[in-house]
Amino acid sequence: MKHLLYYNGNWLESDGNDSISVLNPANGEILDQITYATATDMEKIIMSADKGFEIWSNLTAEERCDYLERLYDLVMAEKEDLARILTKENGKPYPEALGEIYYGASFLKWYSEEGKRINGEIIPASQVNKRILVRKQPVGIVYGITPWNFPFAMITRKLAPALAAGCSFIVKPSEETPLTAIKFFELVHRVGFPPGVVNCVTADAKKITEVVMNSSKVRKITFTGSTQVGKLLMKQAADTVKQISLELGGHAPFIVFEDADIDKAVEGTIASKFRNCGQVCIATNRVLVHEKVKDIYLRKLTEAVLKLKIGDGFEDQVKLGPIINHKGFEKIMDHIEDAKAKGGNIVVGGRRIDSNPSSYFIEPTIIDRVTEEMKMLQEETFGPVIPIITFKSDEEAINIANNTPYGLAAYFFTESVSRGFRVSEKLDYGIVGFNTGSPSTAQAPFGGFKESGLGREGGHFGIEEFLETKYVCLEI
Ligand code: ADP
């Protein structure tokens, strides 16, 4: 079956005939066909969102939040179906996919509450006959571009605050994983949003995004993906001065101090490294361990890594699924080979598991004696690889951690609260995990410093991204 485009409150045919196949990364099987929108389709979708904005922005906050709450209820009722589709097209283990549905749904819930609290201000004036009023208004039509590593949660983390703020929304899911989005839009349809409020376009990202960028009607771009594409979008958005939020790549350090609880640190490393097989922007990309505790940490980490089962995400006890595609696989193997050639020592893993020529499974890997000139210390590996570096002082660890153009997430483990405060204040990162490898949650701000992005998703910070501030000056 070929899936259609969703706009004007309905599933509609494309103007053209293009479609692409969606593959199961665990075995290379074709799962389905999706429509590829044309530029004309995209213009119609923008018109749909324009009409949707007119209706939606004039509803009360409570009415809007009721829709979001109904959507949350439907997602919860259909969570297993959503998770099954997610595992099929993304490869992550089914329990992890289900976890993503809960996580994604939590944004619908959170913003169905937060949307009622978009307050203005009355500021004391310096003249007796003046009144200074400040109100928040929705920014307008929002275009969201989402990646394949969280096919569900990256949509709701954008859509929920945008709708709660009073914006209409167009999402372009990743071409690798559009089926979760399509299933989600079946639920959107059942909720019965006014036509044009929520729209879904599957398309050649570059072609379609150009149409969006040329439209002065679309006022906000919200993107999760690579730094390279994020920079391009920022340039393109300049012509019509669109607002832009970017959640880009990371190069997360994971610091184990000499006073860390080693078992807890190992648990944190596994959680932050192997979720979605390391294909996560906040995944640990390098471990910095104090030389005094290196041996014990490495021994315990190796034991834990050797227990991880790799395979099809529907198999029992599987913790690591496949790599999403050949491009991702090549990059990871290139980083491993580069480290080996430059003197890195493979402690465990390092190879492809060759069960099927159309799928890419890589052993969870630990590499010791990693040095600055290796690619894995310069770039995001996006795979199940842990490079180990040692340090002697807090200052050295912080310098190594901050020596990168990225600034998304950093983690550290110490039993000293004073050291913890000092270190968390020095790290140039938007998200800091202090004795935890799992910081993400709906009410907290998620986003990066430096080349890891602009803006925040989550909590009351996330809704601000979709609001304009209007100042009304009244003379009485
Ligand atoms: P990755 O390499 O991990 O797939 P990308 O940044 O290429 O990361 O992709 C993330 C999202 O950005 C996907 O939805 C993809 O379709 C979209 N995308 C890729 N290139 C462009 C582009 N030139 N313009 C707009 N969106 C793009």
Side-chain angles (χ1 to χ4, degrees):
M1 158 179 182
K2 192 167 97 178
H3 293 283
L4 307 178
L5 310 170
Y6 190 83
Y7 65 100
N8 280 334
N10 246 315
W11 294 101
L12 297 166
E13 295 266 4
S14 164
D15 236 36
N17 293 314
D18 284 356
S19 67
I20 59 153
S21 306
V22 183
L23 306 180
N24 181 339
N27 53 30
E29 270 172 25
I30 295 179
L31 292 171
D32 230 326
Q33 287 290 117
I34 55 156
T35 295
Y36 248 30
T38 62
T40 315
D41 293 326
M42 196 62 219
E43 277 158 14
K44 289 187 200 159
I45 293 171
I46 295 171
M47 273 161 56
S48 153
D50 194 33
K51 282 191 225 140
F53 180 64
E54 225 6 75
I55 304 168
W56 190 245
S57 56
N58 282 306
L59 296 185
T60 65
E62 259 179 315
E63 284 169 323
R64 286 195 290 260
C65 290
D66 284 348
Y67 281 98
L68 280 176
E69 220 176 302
R70 288 211 292 281
L71 185 55
Y72 169 80
D73 290 341
L74 277 183
V75 166
M76 282 292 95
E78 302 272 329
K79 57 184 181 298
E80 284 94 0
D81 255 16
L82 280 159
R84 263 191 293 277
I85 295 169
L86 205 163
T87 292
K88 273 191 197 159
E89 65 176 354
N90 165 282
K92 68 176 68 175
Y94 175 76
E96 211 181 297
L98 196 57
E100 181 182 335
I101 305 302
Y102 277 107
Y103 174 60
S106 71
F107 289 94
L108 297 170
K109 183 79 173 159
W110 174 269
Y111 286 108
S112 74
E113 295 153 356
E114 192 63 13
K116 296 169 197 163
R117 286 181 267 282
I118 303 171
N119 303 323
E121 280 183 52
I122 300 177
I123 299 170
S126 36
Q127 288 156 286
V128 286
N129 62 340
K130 287 272 178 71
R131 298 294 178 270
I132 296 174
L133 315 173
V134 179
R135 56 176 273 128
K136 297 289 176 101
Q137 289 186 195
V139 63
I141 302 175
V142 177
Y143 176 61
I145 305 173
T146 58
W148 49 264
N149 60 348
F150 289 90
F152 180 67
M154 291 307 99
I155 295 178
T156 53
R157 203 160 82 175
K158 295 170 170 52
L159 172 147
L163 295 187
C167 299
S168 59
F169 194 81
I170 304 166
V171 65
K172 193 216 73 63
S174 165
E175 43 279 61
E176 313 270 357
T177 57
L179 302 177
T180 310
I182 287 166
K183 170 72 191 171
F184 174 59
F185 267 77
E186 284 169 14
L187 307 182
V188 164
H189 186 66
R190 273 167 58 192
V191 168
F193 283 90
V197 172
V198 255
N199 310 272
C200 180
V201 56
T202 41
D204 173 323
K206 191 163 171 285
K207 216 158 72 185
I208 285 315
T209 302
E210 275 164 18
V211 179
V212 174
M213 291 300 187
N214 287 332
S215 162
S216 54
K217 286 195 180 298
V218 179
R219 297 312 313 150
K220 168 93 196 188
I221 307 294
T222 172
F223 170 76
T224 299
S226 61
T227 298
Q228 185 197 359
V229 173
K231 288 180 182 177
L232 180 73
L233 296 175
M234 209 169 161
K235 287 186 190 136
Q236 291 175 334
D239 279 346
T240 50
V241 194
K242 295 187 201 314
Q243 293 199 26
I244 185 157
S245 296
L246 302 171
E247 203 267 276
L248 309 177
H251 188 32
F254 187 106
I255 310 171
V256 185
F257 288 101
E258 70 268 36
D259 62 354
D261 175 330
I262 299 295
D263 291 327
K264 218 168 146 188
V266 167
E267 205 181 293
T269 317
I270 299 287
S272 76
K273 176 73 257 186
F274 295 113
R275 196 177 304 121
N276 202 19
C277 205
Q279 303 169 108
V280 179
C281 49
I282 61 165
T284 288
N285 214 48
R286 48 210 170 112
V287 164
L288 283 59
V289 56
H290 193 280
E291 59 177 11
K292 283 192 191 147
V293 291
K294 181 192 167 181
D295 289 348
I296 175 137
Y297 168 78
L298 198 53
R299 183 170 59 73
K300 290 191 174 200
L301 183 68
T302 305
E303 280 166 18
V305 164
L306 286 170
K307 286 190 195 136
L308 298 172
K309 186 173 165 194
I310 313 155
D312 188 303
F314 288 107
E315 275 174 38
D316 209 23
Q317 302 298 321
V318 160
K319 289 284 185 291
L320 270 78
I323 302 303
I324 190 76
N325 55 27
H326 186 253
K327 189 175 139 215
F329 164 75
E330 278 205 314
K331 183 176 187 191
I332 300 163
M333 292 314 290
D334 177 49
H335 279 199
I336 295 174
E337 292 310 319
D338 171 77
K340 273 160 67 178
K342 291 175 181 160
N345 173 37
I346 304 274
V347 179
V348 58
R351 288 167 310 190
R352 175 182 183 184
I353 297 171
D354 247 337
S355 49
N356 181 336
S358 335
S359 59
Y360 305 97
F361 290 93
I362 298 179
E363 292 173 332
T365 301
I366 304 176
I367 307 187
D368 193 11
R369 294 207 295 268
V370 172
T371 51
E372 283 293 326
E373 65 277 11
M374 296 177 187
K375 285 184 187 170
M376 58 178 61
L377 284 203
Q378 304 298 329
E379 303 163 22
E380 196 175 22
T381 306
F382 235 56
V385 182
I386 307 178
I388 306 281
I389 316 160
T390 49
F391 66 88
K392 291 187 174 67
S393 69
D394 291 17
E395 197 188 3
E396 186 190 1
I398 289 162
N399 285 341
I400 297 172
N402 286 342
N403 185 20
T404 165
Y406 293 107
L408 188 55
Y411 308 89
F412 65 84
F413 280 66
T414 172
E415 289 298 289
S416 156
V417 173
S418 310
R419 167 181 267 150
F421 264 92
R422 276 197 305 276
V423 172
S424 63
E425 286 162 16
K426 288 264 162 56
L427 287 169
D428 297 333
Y429 287 83
I431 303 163
V432 175
F434 178 175
N435 286 343
T436 176
S438 315
S440 303
T441 177
Q443 62 271 43
F446 188 107
F449 285 15
K450 302 196 298 196
E451 292 184 27
S452 285
L454 284 177
R456 294 293 180 270
E457 292 182 332
H460 67 86
F461 310 89
I463 214 161
E464 287 292 330
E465 303 284 328
F466 300 100
L467 293 168
E468 282 280 21
T469 301
K470 182 178 280 176
Y471 159 43
V472 179
C473 184
L474 169 70
E475 195 169 304
I476 54 172

